[in-house]
Amino acid sequence: MKVKNLNRFLFVASVVFLVQVAADAKTWKVSNWSGWNSDSYFAYAMNNASDGDIIEITKHLTVNSDIQVYKDVTVRSAGNNTYKITNKGRYYICNIHPGGKLTLTNIVVDCESYNKRVEDLFNLNEMEIETSRNGSATTNIARMVLQNGAVIQNVYLSSNSKTENAAIHVKKGAVLRIQEGAMIKNCNNQSVPGKGGAICCDYGTIIMTGGTITGCKSKSNGGAIHTDGQRIDAPEIEGVSARGDIYISGGYITNNTCASGKYGGAIYFGNSGPMIHINGSP
C-alpha cells in the first residue's frame, strides 16, 4: 500500500513539474528586428529568452545584427502564416553556442542569392566540456532542428579565405536534425575550400528523418553535404560523437551538384571517419 501511494505521489509530482515548466515558457510576439528594450524586438527576445521559450514572428523581418543562441528556443511564424526573415546582402550570422538549441518551424530564412557571405549563415559551435571541482565532466553541445515549414534558401557564399563554410556549419559534437516538411534549397557555395553546398558537417552529426535538400551546388566536393569525422571518439569527448556520421530515415536529397572534376553531387565524405546510416537511428 505504501509503495502504491509513493508511486502515485511521484507521478503527480512529475506531472506538476511538467505543467510548471510549460507554464513558465514564454511566447514572445515579435514585429521588429532591432532594439534592446522591448519584447517585440527579435534581438531583445533572443537575448532574454529562457529554455523552452517561443519567438513568434508576426510580420516579415530583415536581419541587421548577429544572433547568439544560448538557450533552447523555437522560432516560428504566428498563426497560420509563413513569414520570411531576410538577410539582405549582409554578413550577419546565427551562432548556436554549446548548450543552445534553435528550432525553426513554419518560417523562411532567405538570403536572396546576392548575399555573398564569407562566414556561415548558421554556425553550430564546437562542443564544450565543463569540469567541476570534484572532477566530473559535463559536455555541452549545440543543436539545431528544422521542422515542418522551415525553409533555408538562396544562400550564396563566396570567399577565398580558405576557411570552411556553408549555409549550415555543424562543428565538432554538434547535432543538426532535419524533419518532415523542412527544406534547404538553392544554396550556392563558391568559396575555397567551400565544403558543401548546403551543409558542412565538421565532426558533428546530421539526422535526417524527412525534409528536402535540393538545388544546391558547391565549387568543391559535396553538392549538398560535405562531412569529415573520426571513427573512434577521443576520450576527452565524454561520449559525444565526433564521427561526422549522417543518419537518414526519410526525406529527399535531389538535384544538387558539385563542380566539374569534384566528387559527391549529393554527399561527400572527406575522410575515412564518417559513415552514412540508411533507415538507422543514432
Side-chain angles (χ1 to χ4, degrees):
M1 187 69 179
K2 290 182 178 179
V3 173
K4 289 183 177 180
N5 288 337
L6 177 60
N7 288 338
R8 187 178 297 112
F9 170 78
L10 292 174
F11 172 76
V12 171
S14 63
V15 170
V16 170
F17 173 76
L18 291 173
V19 170
Q20 183 62 40
V21 169
D24 290 342
K26 178 177 179 177
T27 298
W28 304 72
K29 299 287 187 178
V30 169
S31 57
N32 297 282
W33 188 271
S34 298
W36 300 96
N37 57 357
S38 172
D39 288 7
S40 66
Y41 291 115
F42 187 95
Y44 180 85
M46 184 63 75
N47 281 315
N48 290 276
S50 300
D51 285 333
D53 280 7
I54 297 169
I55 298 177
E56 277 196 348
I57 308 299
T58 61
K59 59 184 290 189
H60 300 306
L61 297 178
T62 298
V63 178
N64 61 14
S65 64
D66 288 345
I67 289 297
Q68 312 298 330
V69 180
Y70 293 96
K71 302 292 186 179
D72 179 354
V73 179
T74 296
V75 177
R76 70 187 186 195
S77 298
N80 295 320
N81 302 292
T82 301
Y83 291 114
K84 182 188 294 186
I85 297 176
T86 303
N87 195 353
K88 277 191 175 180
R90 305 299 290 269
Y91 291 87
Y92 299 125
I93 187 172
C94 178
N95 276 307
I96 305 172
H97 296 270
K101 178 183 177 182
L102 177 64
T103 300
L104 300 181
T105 181
N106 194 30
I107 193 83
V108 177
V109 180
D110 192 345
C111 285
E112 295 190 341
S113 292
Y114 59 78
N115 180 16
K116 298 181 180 180
R117 296 184 50 81
V118 175
E119 301 178 88
D120 315 301
L121 180 63
F122 292 95
N123 178 36
L124 281 67
N125 281 276
E126 185 172 323
M127 64 186 181
E128 290 181 351
I129 299 174
E130 298 178 355
T131 304
S132 65
R133 292 181 178 179
N134 63 11
S136 62
T138 301
T139 305
N140 296 315
I141 66 173
R143 295 179 172 89
M144 183 176 184
V145 183
L146 301 180
Q147 294 185 334
N148 185 37
V151 179
I152 298 172
Q153 64 186 27
N154 303 325
V155 183
Y156 183 14
L157 300 105
S158 181
S159 169
N160 292 315
S161 65
K162 298 184 179 179
T163 300
E164 296 176 0
N165 61 3
I168 304 176
H169 198 163
V170 187
K171 295 182 178 176
K172 190 174 183 180
V175 178
L176 170 67
R177 292 180 180 268
I178 304 171
Q179 299 179 351
E180 184 176 357
M183 179 174 288
I184 305 172
K185 65 178 183 178
N186 301 334
C187 295
N188 185 353
N189 194 347
Q190 293 300 301
S191 299
V192 178
K195 292 187 174 181
I199 303 169
C200 176
C201 185
D202 197 7
Y203 292 78
T205 301
I206 299 171
I207 303 170
M208 189 173 183
T209 57
T212 301
I213 305 174
T214 186
C216 298
K217 61 180 67 175
S218 174
K219 187 175 183 178
S220 185
N221 300 308
I225 301 172
H226 184 294
T227 183
D228 288 306
Q230 58 189 38
R231 193 66 253 138
I232 301 175
D233 293 343
E236 70 270 20
I237 295 177
E238 301 295 336
V240 175
S241 176
R243 295 174 177 173
D245 283 3
I246 301 172
Y247 297 83
I248 300 177
S249 58
Y252 302 89
I253 302 176
T254 179
N255 296 326
N256 303 284
T257 59
C258 59
S260 176
K262 299 298 181 179
Y263 302 95
I267 302 172
Y268 179 79
F269 295 89
N271 57 24
S272 60
M275 293 180 65
I276 188 167
H277 308 261
I278 305 296
N279 291 324
S281 59

